[in-house]
Amino acid sequence: MFSELRNKFILTNMVISTVIIVFAFSLIYGVTAYSQSQSMRRPMDVPNEFSASDMRQVFEREMQEVRSEHLARLAVVLFMVGAMTEILVFFASYYYAERSIRPVKEAYDKQREFIANASHELKTPIAAARANFEALGTDEQPWTDNVDMELERASKLVNDLLMLARTDGRSVAATKREVDLVKIVHKRAQLIEARLGGKELILDIPKKMKTTIADADFTQLLDILLDNAVKYSKSKIVVKMTTKFIYIENDGKTIAPDKISHVFDRFYQTDKTAEGSGLGLAIAKALAVQNHWKIEASSINKLTRFTLSF
């Protein structure tokens, strides 16, 4: 993420400097060529023994050669100066980009480390509290169900934070192997059938599609998108897959353009009343980036689609 930000900064500086250099040097070259062409048009004294036309032709030919030689030298000098300037701009941009990004990166690393450490610390007491609660054996069923539900919710939040921290800090690529994506999609779709509640699940996928992929990351990302579709759909969920992409579409509410651009942000929820922590799609985005996949969201006419391109 930070390397991409640094590269964009350098590229922007290089483009701006190139445009300025090309414009300035073209202006210098043009003005020089014009002034030399004007100097050739000045009247000259011609001795009586030579005709004016002959002397004029000789003079223009010699001046043209001198002018061409001077312009060629000027072009070489401008090219060399421009190349050296671009090199200096590149190294200066790289230095200042690294220097500018360093404090942001340090703060980001500290935040990620805090999330990971806090998640680890919270996971143990939540698990202990849940185990002790289950051992109480009280008859107040509604209250115990509520406590158990909140403990489950807290445990999921901690696990999501821990997963997000691990994904952000992962420097080693996930293990890839050849798998049949169709089998994975069928299996994950079967697991959500009990939650459909009368909603229709349409699978538009081939009979078999083997590919080499980080199947654990793909499965987790698929679960997140399916869970999101079940949560917000009204009557229908469509899953379509080809060799290049898979998309999951639901017929929930249309998400406004100013909101659809933030759906992958952490803790962001388009519907504040909905359940969840707002981390699922952020984890999906992180998994996609780590595996060099592309994930996009679109929403129009009450159809919201998440597309994952391999």
Side-chain angles (χ1 to χ4, degrees), residues 148-159:
D148 186 57
M149 182 177 64
E150 291 303 316
L151 284 172
E152 177 66 25
R153 183 181 176 186
S155 179
K156 186 179 184 305
L157 176 59
V158 169
N159 288 333

Side-chain angles (χ1 to χ4, degrees), residues 29-258:
Y29 186 87
V31 170
T32 304
Y34 177 77
S35 62
Q36 289 190 2
S37 64
Q38 290 296 108
S39 65
M40 292 177 59
R41 297 179 181 179
R42 294 175 184 172
M44 54 178 290
D45 296 329
V46 182
N48 294 329
E49 60 269 21
F50 297 101
S51 66
S53 60
D54 291 340
M55 286 298 298
R56 186 69 183 177
Q57 290 177 1
V58 173
F59 175 76
E60 288 182 352
R61 185 166 55 250
E62 291 181 352
M63 288 299 296
Q64 183 66 36
E65 292 176 357
V66 173
R67 177 173 175 265
S68 299
E69 184 179 352
H70 286 176
L71 290 177
R73 289 179 180 176
L74 178 62
V76 172
V77 171
L78 292 178
F79 177 79
M80 295 297 294
V81 173
M84 292 178 63
T85 303
E86 286 288 277
I87 293 173
L88 290 175
V89 169
F90 172 78
F91 283 108
S93 299
Y94 186 89
Y95 172 77
Y96 284 108
E98 285 287 340
R99 188 173 180 179
S100 301
I101 292 174
R102 189 180 300 117
V104 180
K105 186 176 183 302
E106 290 176 354
Y108 181 82
D109 289 340
K110 289 180 180 179
Q111 178 186 9
R112 181 173 55 81
E113 184 179 357
F114 168 77
I115 292 175
N117 292 337
S119 299
H120 275 296
E121 293 299 323
L122 287 170
K123 196 171 184 179
T124 301
I126 289 176
R130 191 171 187 182
N132 283 275
F133 173 75
E134 291 174 352
L136 287 176
T138 177
D139 294 331
E140 299 293 336
Q141 190 64 34
W143 300 106
T144 58
D145 288 345
N146 289 341
V147 174
D148 186 57
M149 182 177 64
E150 291 303 316
L151 284 172
E152 177 66 25
R153 183 181 176 186
S155 179
K156 186 179 184 305
L157 176 59
V158 169
N159 288 333
D160 286 347
L161 287 170
L162 188 58
M163 172 57 67
L164 200 56
R166 286 173 177 171
T167 305
D168 285 341
R170 190 169 71 189
S171 57
V172 180
T175 302
K176 296 182 179 181
R177 61 174 183 166
E178 187 181 53
V179 295
D180 187 354
L181 293 185
V182 174
K183 288 184 178 180
I184 295 177
V185 173
H186 271 296
K187 184 175 181 181
R188 307 322 292 182
Q190 288 175 355
L191 293 176
I192 67 166
E193 286 182 353
R195 298 172 49 207
L196 291 177
K199 300 175 183 178
E200 184 181 9
L201 177 60
I202 302 174
L203 298 180
D204 183 6
I205 57 180
K207 294 181 178 180
K208 182 183 292 186
M209 195 175 82
K210 288 191 175 182
T211 185
T212 302
I213 198 172
D215 58 314
D217 287 351
F218 174 77
T219 301
Q220 184 175 5
L221 199 157
L222 181 63
D223 285 344
I224 292 171
L225 297 183
L226 287 173
D227 178 73
N228 185 79
V230 172
K231 187 184 301 181
Y232 292 104
S233 64
K234 288 185 177 180
S235 61
K236 183 174 63 175
I237 301 167
V238 178
V239 179
K240 182 174 181 178
M241 183 170 62
T242 68
T243 55
K244 294 183 178 180
F245 68 86
I246 178 173
Y247 74 68
I248 298 176
E249 185 178 79
N250 71 82
D251 60 346
K253 297 180 180 179
T254 302
I255 304 175
D258 60 324

